[in-house]
Amino acid sequence: MKYDVRELPLLSNEEIAQGIFDMRLEYKQTDLPVQCGQFAHVYVPGKSLRRPISVCDASGGVLRLVYQVKGEGTKIMSQMKSGTVDVLVPLGNGFSIEKGKRYCLIGGGIGVPPMLYTAKQCDNPLIITGFRSESLVILQDDLKQAGETLLCTDDGSAGQKGFVTDLLRAHIDEIDEVCACGPTPMLKAVAAVCKELGKPCQISLEERMGCGVGACLVCAVKVRKNGEEIMQHVCKNGPVFNAEEVVF
Amino acid sequence: MADLSVNVAGVQFNNPLIAASGTFGFGREYGEFYPLSTLGGISCKGITLKRRDGNPPPRIAETPSGILNAVGLQNPGVDVFINEDLPWLKQQGTVIIANIAGNTVEEYCEMAEKLSDTDVDMIELNISCPNVKSGGVQFGTSCESVAHITSEVRKHCKKPLVVKLSPNVTDIASIAKSAEAAGADAVSMINTLTGMRIDIHTRRPIIRNNTGGLSGAAVFPVAVRMVWQVANAVKIPIIGMGGISTWEDAVEMLMAGATALQIGTVLFSDPYAPVKINEGLNKFLDENNIKSVTELTGTVVPW
Ligand SMILES: Cc1cc2nc3c(=O)[nH]c(=O)nc-3n(C[C@H](O)[C@H](O)[C@H](O)COP(=O)(O)OP(=O)(O)OC[C@H]3O[C@@H](n4cnc5c(N)ncnc54)[C@H](O)[C@@H]3O)c2cc1C
Ligand SMILES: Cc1cc2nc3c(=O)[nH]c(=O)nc-3n(C[C@H](O)[C@H](O)[C@H](O)COP(=O)(O)O)c2cc1C
Ligand code: FES
């Protein structure tokens, strides 16, 4: 059986920046191995739908989910203090990382968390993260241990003032391939730069979900395969897609 | 161990729980959680004559105790279903129901004809999908159109025929009577109730299709009421659904008049719901010295 619902013991659930929480769950060696870029579908008591959250890290027997409080579901998650959390994990297809390539990992805002576990699978990656402002900056210490990091903010309150694409352009000759996660406008811009400069690019997409496993078909995304536009699904075919194939 | 098996229109189900159309795809994904023979049957994703890509996303929104969806019948088409999914499904040890939808009566007939020559166990006529522009629910909202499409499809359908009713009508009992008179072997109900949610910050509906179909626990009391009304109006069996989430809900729906049950939305929060509901049903029957689940059907004692 490929899927299972797990009741994972909650180790901690702390606020690491304004409205952003770091949930750590016990994850045993015997649990299914997690690929970078995969996600967890988290059960929220009292809600009809689970919440999809990317795996931020899955090493050392701990599953980390770093999430921002947006609406009611993530608010309830942020109030969990002990006991177990019901998660469906690991789900989806993550980033594919090959040996011998230098990757540029780009994270924007709450798209940064999955880049930590991804960085741990790469050989000396270049990690570019961008945030709106200093109060939202997360995970810099963890990322520094996993590769070379570059930081920017829209208002210049931390790191360089500007966008992740400015840093990508400046360092494009140092890398072979790009993996990115973040808001759609950022992903579009990163995909455009990669196309222009001839670098392969994988992007992680978001869509509202039901089942999380590919059965209900609600999380549709349009992709182009062999010249034909078809509907695929973020939970099963993704969340990571080849940027060239996505029809934004 | 009580006997959980039920018989609907000559088709034997190992237990009364059937996966609801559209929430379970063609079974492969949930088959990675447990053997599909855990379920009495599977009502497959609604299929159309030709492939459909469905509506643009977002296709789902959360509501208090429920969800709205507007998938728009995304499916690979009847031929792909017959050639690629059905042979696999038939090996899973559970009843397979094909759920069909069309733009015209002729399309429904053509699909019924094709499926009659396959190993499908039953055909469910979806004349109640609220999320497509033409076809779907337009066939299901007046007695005349329900009678017409049911009798036309009946001529081409050699399998037991289940007509799936829409709750978006004023008098569901008379609609069910029309389906029965036109040759339906059973009715299944309810499909989703049309609803809408708006993001107050963007003033945009959350669902790209603007409106969607409401399902989940929120619709359960409406479904129970409608099943009860239809049970009092027709002799053919009823497959009851709409918000069933616990074994207690299952018992309630059977007492209202259902012979078998479908469950959908609850799977999204708990994929193991069918396993738990079956266990609960079994225990309830044993504790009350009831030998067969069929003894519950229609046993409500109304005031
Ligand atoms: C594959 C994937 C990975 C994600 N990883 C992360 C992550 O690592 N950290 C993080 O903070 N957020 C992540 N998100 C976004 C996160 O799922 C939403 O912010 C969250 O579901 C909002 O729930 P809520 O109850 O707070 O909001 P509400 O508005 O109350 O949610 C209502 C419904 O809409 C859905 N929804 C709302 N916004 C989104 C969204 N942006 N994407 C998908 N569904 C949404 C909810 O899941 C819920 O079903 C990810 C989304 C996807 C699809
Ligand atoms: C995502 C989704 C897709 C659906 N697709 C179909 C469909 O293709 N055909 C159909 O007859 N009903 C479809 N339905 C309706 C369900 O089969 C069922 O009638 C309804 O959801 C009520 O049951 P529930 O509350 O247990 O989910 C769909 C429901 C959902 C939630
Ligand atoms: S969430 Fe059900 S198919 Fe993706």
Side-chain angles (χ1 to χ4, degrees):
Chain A
M1 301 278 119
K2 198 166 106 191
Y3 300 130
D4 204 359
V5 173
R6 277 150 233 274
E7 290 281 349
L8 301 180
L10 179 63
L11 301 171
S12 62
N13 191 17
E14 272 161 31
E15 188 163 9
I16 54 168
Q18 193 191 332
I20 299 173
F21 288 74
D22 181 356
M23 177 180 273
R24 295 178 189 228
L25 303 163
E26 194 179 313
Y27 202 72
K28 298 201 189 68
Q29 288 291 302
T30 48
D31 289 325
L32 293 174
V34 181
Q35 194 194 344
C36 60
Q38 285 187 301
F39 69 98
H41 216 21
V42 182
Y43 175 75
V44 181
K47 291 278 152 191
S48 326
L49 294 172
R50 289 171 178 265
R51 298 315 195 244
I53 305 289
S54 296
V55 170
C56 169
D57 198 359
S59 30
V62 176
L63 186 79
R64 266 177 94 180
L65 306 175
V66 171
Y67 60 95
Q68 184 165 32
V69 172
K70 284 271 174 70
E72 285 177 40
T74 44
K75 179 155 187 230
I76 297 171
M77 279 176 69
S78 73
Q79 290 160 350
M80 296 176 178
K81 288 287 165 256
S82 60
T84 58
V85 182
D86 172 335
V87 284
L88 207 53
V89 70
L91 298 180
N93 285 306
F95 293 107
S96 68
I97 303 297
E98 291 168 35
K99 285 258 165 303
K101 276 191 178 175
R102 183 153 200 243
Y103 285 89
C104 174
L105 310 180
I106 303 181
I110 200 62
V112 170
M115 291 310 160
L116 176 57
Y117 192 49
T118 309
K120 291 187 177 184
Q121 319 306 314
C122 301
D123 205 12
N124 185 32
L126 175 67
I127 310 164
I128 303 176
T129 56
F131 301 87
R132 275 207 316 277
S133 70
E134 191 187 9
S135 64
L136 298 167
V137 174
I138 48 168
L139 299 172
Q140 296 302 304
D141 292 342
D142 293 280
L143 290 168
K144 275 186 191 122
Q145 287 175 25
E148 182 187 344
T149 60
L150 295 169
L151 170 66
C152 63
T153 48
D154 296 3
D155 61 5
S157 52
Q160 189 174 319
K161 180 173 160 57
F163 298 117
V164 291
T165 39
D166 304 333
L167 292 169
L168 172 62
R169 276 183 189 280
H171 294 267
I172 198 87
D173 295 333
E174 301 160 31
I175 56 119
D176 301 310
E177 183 163 352
V178 173
C179 295
C181 183
T184 308
M186 182 203 97
L187 293 179
K188 257 190 198 169
V190 168
V193 170
C194 289
K195 188 161 187 203
E196 178 195 329
L197 301 172
K199 299 285 177 187
C201 177
Q202 306 175 43
I203 52 176
S204 180
L205 301 182
E206 279 186 6
E207 193 46 71
R208 286 178 185 245
M209 290 186 180
C211 68
V213 294
C216 72
L217 311 184
V218 303
C219 60
V221 51
K222 200 181 265 179
V223 297
R224 203 178 293 104
K225 293 254 181 206
N226 308 320
E228 198 193 0
E229 284 186 4
I230 56 166
M231 284 294 194
Q232 287 202 329
H233 295 92
V234 171
C235 70
K236 190 177 188 180
N237 309 102
V240 176
F241 291 88
N242 175 347
E244 290 228 358
E245 288 179 356
V246 174
V247 183
F248 282 107
Chain B
M1 276 291 274
D3 182 5
L4 287 183
S5 69
V6 298
N7 189 298
V8 179
V11 179
Q12 190 73 13
F13 294 77
N14 287 333
N15 65 61
L17 293 188
I18 304 167
S21 176
T23 60
F24 210 78
F26 299 127
R28 291 185 201 264
E29 294 78 20
Y30 284 98
E32 297 284 354
F33 285 99
Y34 39 76
L36 295 178
S37 55
T38 307
L39 290 150
I42 297 171
S43 175
C44 297
K45 174 65 198 169
I47 46 175
T48 49
L49 198 53
K50 296 265 152 26
R51 178 187 118 180
R52 277 182 65 100
D53 287 342
N55 296 326
R59 293 177 172 182
I60 190 166
E62 199 174 47
T63 68
S65 301
I67 62 169
L68 290 178
N69 92 82
V71 172
L73 289 174
Q74 181 182 352
N75 80 95
V78 65
D79 293 325
V80 173
F81 169 72
I82 291 172
N83 297 326
E84 293 175 21
D85 295 292
L86 189 56
W88 181 84
L89 279 163
K90 282 301 293 176
Q91 292 166 11
Q92 306 308 311
T94 188
V95 171
I96 304 302
I97 304 173
N99 177 285
I100 61 172
N103 293 316
T104 60
V105 173
E106 291 69 36
E107 282 183 10
Y108 279 96
C109 293
E110 194 176 337
M111 278 189 281
E113 185 124 13
K114 281 191 182 199
L115 288 161
S116 288
D117 296 330
T118 70
D119 288 338
V120 138
D121 297 297
M122 289 184 129
I123 294 178
E124 183 173 52
L125 202 59
N126 176 3
I127 48 170
S128 43
C129 179
N131 301 325
V132 289
K133 288 220 168 58
S134 60
V137 75
Q138 85 187 43
F139 296 110
T141 45
S142 81
C143 292
E144 295 72 38
S145 59
V146 170
H148 177 64
I149 195 166
T150 307
S151 60
E152 287 304 310
V153 172
R154 182 75 277 178
K155 290 179 200 155
H156 299 266
C157 179
K158 299 192 205 77
K159 303 281 182 183
L161 180 63
V162 184
V163 175
K164 184 163 179 179
L165 306 182
S166 169
N168 304 306
V169 295
T170 36
D171 181 5
I172 197 150
S174 54
I175 301 258
K177 275 193 200 164
S178 304
E180 179 179 44
D185 297 304
V187 289
S188 59
M189 56 189 290
I190 56 175
N191 209 317
T192 53
L193 283 144
T194 309
M196 183 172 187
R197 295 227 58 189
I198 299 165
D199 181 329
I200 60 167
H201 303 293
T202 61
R203 301 186 185 209
R204 290 280 199 182
I206 291 178
I207 290 194
R208 190 58 197 266
N209 188 51
N210 295 322
T211 60
L214 181 66
S215 63
V219 308
F220 181 67
V222 177
V224 172
R225 182 266 292 178
M226 290 189 158
V227 165
W228 179 63
Q229 288 178 326
V230 168
N232 288 326
V234 300
K235 295 200 176 58
I236 51 176
I238 301 169
I239 302 176
M241 78 190 92
I244 297 173
S245 314
T246 63
W247 67 263
E248 289 93 334
D249 295 344
V251 171
E252 198 172 328
M253 190 64 95
L254 292 164
M255 288 179 173
T259 297
L261 308 167
Q262 289 190 16
I263 51 168
T265 303
V266 67
L267 294 163
F268 300 166
S269 55
D270 185 5
Y272 288 96
V275 180
K276 293 178 190 163
I277 294 175
N278 268 333
E279 279 173 10
L281 259 180
N282 209 346
K283 204 159 155 255
F284 176 80
L285 295 172
D286 283 349
E287 282 170 5
N288 290 280
N289 281 319
I290 302 170
K291 297 216 164 43
S292 160
V293 69
T294 58
E295 292 171 41
L296 292 176
T297 298
T299 54
V300 58
V301 187
W303 296 105

